[in-house]
Short mmCIF file of all heavy atoms in Angstrom, two decimals:
data_model
loop_
_atom_site.label_atom_id
_atom_site.label_comp_id
_atom_site.label_asym_id
_atom_site.label_seq_id
_atom_site.Cartn_x
_atom_site.Cartn_y
_atom_site.Cartn_z
N SER A 12 -2.27 21.24 10.14
CA SER A 12 -3.13 21.39 11.29
C SER A 12 -2.89 20.37 12.37
O SER A 12 -3.09 20.56 13.55
CB SER A 12 -4.51 21.34 10.79
OG SER A 12 -4.81 20.07 10.23
N ARG A 13 -2.42 19.09 11.95
CA ARG A 13 -2.28 18.02 12.84
C ARG A 13 -1.19 18.47 13.82
O ARG A 13 -1.19 18.10 14.94
CB ARG A 13 -2.02 16.74 12.17
CG ARG A 13 -2.08 15.50 13.04
CD ARG A 13 -1.80 14.19 12.16
NE ARG A 13 -2.90 14.06 11.31
CZ ARG A 13 -2.77 13.27 10.31
NH1 ARG A 13 -1.81 12.37 10.15
NH2 ARG A 13 -3.87 13.02 9.48
N VAL A 30 -3.70 34.54 32.81
CA VAL A 30 -4.85 35.26 33.44
C VAL A 30 -4.75 35.26 35.02
O VAL A 30 -5.09 36.23 35.64
CB VAL A 30 -6.10 34.50 32.89
CG1 VAL A 30 -7.35 35.08 33.61
CG2 VAL A 30 -6.20 34.82 31.40
N ASN A 75 -2.91 4.03 50.49
CA ASN A 75 -3.98 3.08 50.55
C ASN A 75 -4.82 3.07 49.24
O ASN A 75 -5.56 2.16 49.02
CB ASN A 75 -4.73 3.29 51.72
CG ASN A 75 -4.07 2.93 53.14
OD1 ASN A 75 -4.05 1.67 53.35
ND2 ASN A 75 -3.61 3.94 53.86
N ARG A 120 6.82 2.28 36.03
CA ARG A 120 8.35 1.84 35.99
C ARG A 120 8.66 1.07 37.28
O ARG A 120 9.53 0.15 37.23
CB ARG A 120 9.20 3.16 35.93
CG ARG A 120 9.21 3.76 34.45
CD ARG A 120 9.69 5.09 34.52
NE ARG A 120 9.73 5.73 33.16
CZ ARG A 120 8.82 6.15 32.48
NH1 ARG A 120 7.56 6.30 32.96
NH2 ARG A 120 8.89 6.60 31.19
N PHE A 156 -24.45 22.02 49.00
CA PHE A 156 -25.88 21.72 49.32
C PHE A 156 -26.24 22.21 50.80
O PHE A 156 -27.35 22.71 51.04
CB PHE A 156 -25.94 20.19 49.33
CG PHE A 156 -27.33 19.53 49.65
CD1 PHE A 156 -28.41 19.76 48.58
CD2 PHE A 156 -27.66 19.11 50.80
CE1 PHE A 156 -29.54 19.29 48.96
CE2 PHE A 156 -28.86 18.51 51.11
CZ PHE A 156 -29.92 18.78 50.26
N LEU A 231 -3.43 23.08 55.31
CA LEU A 231 -3.45 24.55 55.16
C LEU A 231 -4.21 25.24 56.22
O LEU A 231 -3.90 26.32 56.58
CB LEU A 231 -4.06 24.79 53.80
CG LEU A 231 -4.48 26.23 53.40
CD1 LEU A 231 -3.10 27.09 53.42
CD2 LEU A 231 -4.95 26.40 51.97
N ALA A 323 19.77 -7.63 49.20
CA ALA A 323 19.11 -6.47 49.63
C ALA A 323 19.39 -5.28 48.54
O ALA A 323 18.49 -4.54 48.18
CB ALA A 323 19.59 -6.11 51.00
N SER A 353 14.83 32.59 43.10
CA SER A 353 15.77 33.05 44.09
C SER A 353 16.35 34.29 43.57
O SER A 353 16.53 35.33 44.26
CB SER A 353 16.82 32.12 44.37
OG SER A 353 17.84 32.66 45.30
N LEU A 363 23.62 39.58 53.45
CA LEU A 363 24.48 40.40 52.46
C LEU A 363 25.35 41.37 53.19
O LEU A 363 26.55 41.53 52.67
CB LEU A 363 23.52 41.31 51.69
CG LEU A 363 22.45 40.55 50.66
CD1 LEU A 363 21.40 41.53 50.14
CD2 LEU A 363 23.35 40.00 49.55
N PRO A 371 34.29 41.68 47.45
CA PRO A 371 33.97 42.79 46.69
C PRO A 371 32.56 42.71 46.08
O PRO A 371 32.01 41.64 45.97
CB PRO A 371 34.96 42.86 45.72
CG PRO A 371 35.53 41.58 45.50
CD PRO A 371 35.37 40.88 46.94
N ALA A 373 31.54 43.25 43.17
CA ALA A 373 31.54 42.74 41.89
C ALA A 373 31.20 41.11 41.95
O ALA A 373 30.50 40.56 41.20
CB ALA A 373 32.82 42.90 41.08
N GLY A 388 19.85 27.36 32.40
CA GLY A 388 20.47 26.18 31.83
C GLY A 388 19.89 24.86 32.28
O GLY A 388 19.72 23.92 31.57
N ALA A 444 22.62 5.69 34.57
CA ALA A 444 21.33 5.74 33.74
C ALA A 444 21.44 6.70 32.52
O ALA A 444 20.65 6.57 31.63
CB ALA A 444 20.22 6.24 34.68
N PRO A 448 24.74 8.81 23.59
CA PRO A 448 25.82 9.80 23.11
C PRO A 448 25.18 10.95 22.29
O PRO A 448 25.96 11.71 21.58
CB PRO A 448 26.72 8.92 22.25
CG PRO A 448 25.75 7.85 21.73
CD PRO A 448 24.69 7.55 22.84
N LEU A 506 16.48 40.41 32.18
CA LEU A 506 16.79 40.55 30.74
C LEU A 506 17.62 39.37 30.10
O LEU A 506 17.50 39.05 29.02
CB LEU A 506 17.42 41.92 30.54
CG LEU A 506 17.90 42.25 29.15
CD1 LEU A 506 16.71 42.43 28.21
CD2 LEU A 506 18.72 43.56 29.12
N GLY A 512 17.17 32.63 26.85
CA GLY A 512 16.06 31.63 26.73
C GLY A 512 15.47 31.69 25.36
O GLY A 512 15.19 30.72 24.70
N ARG A 522 15.87 25.41 13.85
CA ARG A 522 16.92 24.74 13.29
C ARG A 522 16.50 23.71 12.41
O ARG A 522 15.52 23.01 12.58
CB ARG A 522 17.79 23.95 14.44
CG ARG A 522 18.84 23.13 13.88
CD ARG A 522 19.69 22.52 15.12
NE ARG A 522 18.81 21.93 16.01
CZ ARG A 522 18.53 20.63 15.90
NH1 ARG A 522 18.89 19.71 14.97
NH2 ARG A 522 17.60 19.99 16.81
N ALA A 524 15.57 20.61 10.47
CA ALA A 524 15.45 19.27 10.91
C ALA A 524 16.30 18.27 9.90
O ALA A 524 16.43 18.67 8.81
CB ALA A 524 13.98 18.72 10.85
N LEU A 562 15.49 4.19 9.00
CA LEU A 562 16.01 5.38 9.72
C LEU A 562 17.36 4.84 10.33
O LEU A 562 17.27 3.84 11.17
CB LEU A 562 15.08 5.82 10.77
CG LEU A 562 15.54 6.98 11.64
CD1 LEU A 562 15.79 8.24 10.80
CD2 LEU A 562 14.55 7.22 12.67
N LEU A 583 8.46 -2.01 12.36
CA LEU A 583 8.31 -3.48 12.36
C LEU A 583 9.43 -4.00 13.16
O LEU A 583 10.66 -3.89 12.80
CB LEU A 583 8.30 -3.93 11.02
CG LEU A 583 8.19 -5.48 10.89
CD1 LEU A 583 6.92 -5.92 11.50
CD2 LEU A 583 8.32 -5.94 9.39
N PRO A 586 14.67 -2.28 16.80
CA PRO A 586 15.67 -1.69 15.93
C PRO A 586 16.70 -2.86 15.76
O PRO A 586 16.98 -3.75 16.58
CB PRO A 586 16.22 -0.54 16.76
CG PRO A 586 15.10 -0.11 17.60
CD PRO A 586 14.37 -1.38 18.07
N TYR A 614 5.63 -2.58 16.31
CA TYR A 614 4.87 -3.94 16.01
C TYR A 614 5.70 -5.07 16.07
O TYR A 614 6.71 -5.04 15.34
CB TYR A 614 4.01 -3.68 14.75
CG TYR A 614 3.34 -4.89 14.33
CD1 TYR A 614 2.10 -5.32 14.94
CD2 TYR A 614 3.73 -5.77 13.34
CE1 TYR A 614 1.45 -6.48 14.61
CE2 TYR A 614 3.07 -6.92 12.94
CZ TYR A 614 1.86 -7.25 13.58
OH TYR A 614 1.23 -8.39 13.35
N VAL A 616 7.44 -6.51 18.54
CA VAL A 616 8.69 -6.55 19.39
C VAL A 616 8.78 -7.51 20.43
O VAL A 616 7.67 -8.02 20.89
CB VAL A 616 8.84 -5.08 19.86
CG1 VAL A 616 8.84 -4.04 18.75
CG2 VAL A 616 7.88 -4.71 21.03
N LEU A 692 -2.57 -17.32 -5.43
CA LEU A 692 -3.22 -16.07 -5.14
C LEU A 692 -4.73 -16.22 -5.74
O LEU A 692 -5.79 -15.76 -5.20
CB LEU A 692 -2.64 -14.88 -5.88
CG LEU A 692 -1.31 -14.47 -5.23
CD1 LEU A 692 -0.65 -13.42 -6.14
CD2 LEU A 692 -1.57 -13.93 -3.83
N LEU A 741 16.53 -19.33 11.59
CA LEU A 741 16.29 -19.65 10.27
C LEU A 741 14.75 -19.58 10.15
O LEU A 741 14.13 -19.96 11.08
CB LEU A 741 16.75 -21.07 9.71
CG LEU A 741 16.20 -21.56 8.40
CD1 LEU A 741 16.74 -20.83 7.34
CD2 LEU A 741 16.57 -23.10 8.37
N ALA A 781 1.92 -16.52 16.06
CA ALA A 781 0.57 -17.04 16.22
C ALA A 781 -0.26 -15.84 16.80
O ALA A 781 -0.29 -15.48 17.99
CB ALA A 781 0.30 -18.23 17.06
N ARG A 797 -10.39 -8.38 25.04
CA ARG A 797 -11.32 -9.56 25.25
C ARG A 797 -11.92 -9.91 23.87
O ARG A 797 -12.15 -11.18 23.64
CB ARG A 797 -12.36 -9.07 26.24
CG ARG A 797 -11.87 -8.83 27.64
CD ARG A 797 -12.95 -8.59 28.58
NE ARG A 797 -13.58 -7.34 28.34
CZ ARG A 797 -14.79 -7.17 27.90
NH1 ARG A 797 -15.46 -8.26 27.68
NH2 ARG A 797 -15.29 -6.01 27.63
N PHE A 801 -11.86 -13.69 22.09
CA PHE A 801 -13.07 -14.17 21.38
C PHE A 801 -12.83 -14.63 19.94
O PHE A 801 -13.18 -15.77 19.56
CB PHE A 801 -14.22 -13.27 21.48
CG PHE A 801 -15.54 -13.67 20.88
CD1 PHE A 801 -16.35 -14.48 21.60
CD2 PHE A 801 -15.76 -13.39 19.51
CE1 PHE A 801 -17.52 -15.00 21.00
CE2 PHE A 801 -16.96 -13.76 18.93
CZ PHE A 801 -17.82 -14.61 19.62
#
Side-chain angles (χ1 to χ4, degrees):
S12 60
R13 190 178 298 171
V30 171
N75 288 280
R120 288 162 176 83
F156 184 76
L231 177 56
S353 173
L363 291 175
L506 179 63
R522 179 174 53 88
L562 179 65
L583 179 60
Y614 173 73
V616 300
L692 291 173
L741 168 69
R797 295 184 294 109
F801 179 83

